[in-house]
Structure formats: C-alpha cells, structure tokens
Amino acid sequence: MPVDYDPDFSFTDLPTGLCMAHIEFGPADGPPILLIHGVTDSYLSFSQVAPRLAAAGHRAVVPELRGHGHTDKPKAGPYTVAHHAADLEALMERLGLRNAHVVGHSLGSLIAQALAVRRPDLVVSLTLIASSGRVAGNQALTWALEGDGDFPGINHLTELPEAFLRDWTGSSNHDPAFVEKTYEHARRMPLYAWVNAFNGIANDPDRLAEITVPVQIIYGAGDTFFTLDEQLELIRRLGSTYILYQPKPGHGHNVHWEDHMDEEVAGDILGFLRAGRREG
C-alpha cells in the first residue's frame, strides 16, 4: 500500500497550552481509532498501519506527542505520561473523538493505559503494542538513562552520538524511505526532548485494575525493552474481562513496523474490533 512520508499535518491548539500536530486518515464519519507513538518516534510509527485501517472505513488519527515531530517542544516540560494523556484527552475533545479505539506503542501504550483510566467515556477498547504492567525498575530504561561502560546514558549526554542514533532508529522495515525518515526525525529532535521524554516514562500498576474495556496485547517475543514477565504482569493487573494476547515470534519491540508486519498488525487491530462488535 502506498505511503506518504511527507503528509500535510493539521495543528490544534489545546487547553494544556500545547499546539499538537496530527494526521488523519479515512472518512471523517468512520469509527475512530487513535494511534499513539512511542518515545522519540513520530507519525511515522503508524504511517504504514493507519492507511490500512482507513481503507477498512475507520477514521484513523495519528498525533505527535509533545516534544516530538511537529508538535510543540516545551524546553522545561513536563513530559510525564499524565501530561501526554491530558494532551490527548484535550485533542480527542477538540476533534470529537468519542467511543474511540486507542492503539499505543511502547510509551504510547502507557499513555493509552492512563487515558483509559482518566477518561473511560472516550475509550471503548485498547490495543497495547510492546507494553508493560510495571515500568519501575526496568533494566533497559535504566540503561538508556544512565548508560554503561560503552554508553554514558541519555541523562549524561551533551549531544546524541551518530552511532547511537543509527542503532536506535535501525529496523528491518522493507521500505528504505521509512528507515531514513525515522532516523531524520530522531536526529532533529532536541536532546532536551529526549531527556525529558525518557525520564517521563512510567505507569501506575495499581490503577490498571480500573481498565475494564476489552484489551488486545501485541508483543514481539524478542522484545528486549519490555520483557515477557512485564507482559504477564500487565495481563494479571488489568481489570478487563476480555484480553486478547498476540505474541509475535521472531519480532521485537517495534513489531508493527518490522519487515512487512504493518499488514499483519493492522489485520490484528481490525479483527479485534470486529470481535468486539460481535460480542456487543
């Protein structure tokens, strides 16, 4: 499916003080899907998945989080999950997104969790990609922030090393243009936004029990950022009575944009929504 990597953005001023960039795919009156990208990512994260959802008749909205992409980047922050969720709540209100299915990847999945807790009237179901039931103590996040003998850690950098950027944004995506655009976005993102965004990664495990909407969990079995134990912790803590667990052997943290996985993940999302309608 053709993908436009230089689309026209819409910009919305929010009561949270932010001007947020977002892209819409599909009919304005279609069932809404909000797609939330991960840390240091952008609309590119769902640029191959969203058109497939739109082709099935959905209104797919892809915002760029504060500090990312074309959205405002306040130097002092804050960049907490709660602030991201407040931004998206305000965006949904402004765009009239109600009874929305919310899809989140990595940091975006934690924001989706928070959004479902704070505004259950807006969210009818969740798809959580590369998510976690407990972020506190996560070893990969600790490494990213504080480093090791080979990498000083984001909290201690004065600039982002080229080798680190290439490694961080590398992927098996089948489209070289996607890979290069992903790198270019990460390179343009200010270091202070990296620091603020990474230090804001967290969730509230004790409130997961308040999430009672249907949840689909898509997990790359080779994910080294959020482990299998963290996926199982998420399943254990959710208050939902319907949880669909979709492990993807041979794939990693960014499963939805790995080689030709956009079609499969889009199909998973659409199948999950169809199942929910049948149950309703």
Side-chain angles (χ1 to χ4, degrees):
M1 177 173 289
V3 178
D4 182 1
Y5 294 129
D6 292 298
D8 292 328
F9 284 84
S10 297
F11 296 88
T12 299
D13 290 319
L14 303 178
T16 58
L18 200 73
C19 181
M20 177 168 274
H22 51 92
I23 299 175
E24 293 203 26
F25 302 82
D29 60 350
I33 302 178
L34 181 73
L35 300 118
I36 312 171
H37 66 73
V39 67
T40 76
D41 296 334
S42 68
Y43 78 96
L44 287 163
S45 178
F46 290 104
S47 59
Q48 295 173 333
V49 171
R52 296 185 180 279
L53 304 178
H58 287 274
R59 179 189 182 188
V61 178
V62 187
E64 295 191 311
L65 300 174
R66 60 171 59 208
H68 297 71
H70 298 75
T71 291
D72 286 347
K73 302 170 181 63
K75 194 161 189 177
Y79 285 67
T80 68
V81 166
H83 283 88
H84 289 305
D87 291 337
L88 293 178
E89 175 187 343
L91 181 70
M92 293 175 78
E93 293 279 13
R94 288 286 170 91
L95 299 183
L97 298 180
R98 298 200 172 262
N99 298 319
H101 179 65
V102 177
V103 179
H105 168 242
S106 193
L107 168 61
S109 76
L110 307 179
I111 298 167
Q113 293 174 14
L115 190 59
V117 169
R118 66 185 289 144
R119 289 300 302 271
D121 58 312
L122 296 179
V123 179
V124 295
S125 61
L126 295 174
T127 288
L128 305 177
I129 304 172
S131 195
S132 176
R134 179 184 295 276
V135 176
N138 178 276
Q139 293 183 353
L141 178 58
T142 300
W143 170 84
L145 289 170
E146 298 301 330
D148 55 22
D150 298 317
F151 175 65
I154 290 166
N155 281 341
H156 308 289
L157 292 175
T158 56
E159 63 179 353
L160 290 163
E162 178 69 15
F164 169 78
L165 278 171
R166 285 291 182 184
D167 183 63
W168 183 258
T169 59
S171 79
S172 65
N173 191 279
H174 58 279
D175 189 343
F178 174 93
V179 178
E180 191 59 25
K181 288 287 187 180
T182 301
Y183 161 76
E184 289 174 2
H185 164 263
R187 183 171 55 83
R188 289 194 305 268
M189 187 173 165
L191 176 59
Y192 71 80
W194 280 71
V195 173
N196 286 336
F198 268 96
N199 279 281
I201 297 175
N203 75 332
D204 189 346
D206 292 336
R207 300 203 68 181
L208 290 173
E210 299 176 37
I211 298 176
T212 58
V213 298
V215 176
Q216 174 176 220
I217 297 170
I218 297 177
Y219 174 59
D223 191 343
T224 57
F225 201 101
F226 290 141
T227 65
L228 176 59
D229 285 345
E230 288 165 309
Q231 308 299 306
L232 298 178
E233 176 83 355
L234 175 60
I235 293 171
R236 184 178 71 81
R237 286 182 174 271
L238 285 167
S240 306
T241 57
Y242 180 71
I243 301 172
L244 178 61
Y245 180 55
Q246 302 265 46
K248 303 294 182 182
H251 294 280
H253 188 69
N254 302 317
V255 58
H256 62 303
W257 77 57
E258 292 181 8
D259 195 19
H260 294 287
M261 285 298 288
D262 53 296
E263 183 174 8
E264 181 171 331
V265 170
D268 289 339
I269 294 169
L270 293 171
F272 178 59
L273 295 183
R274 286 192 295 269
R277 286 197 294 271
R278 287 197 298 271
E279 289 184 0

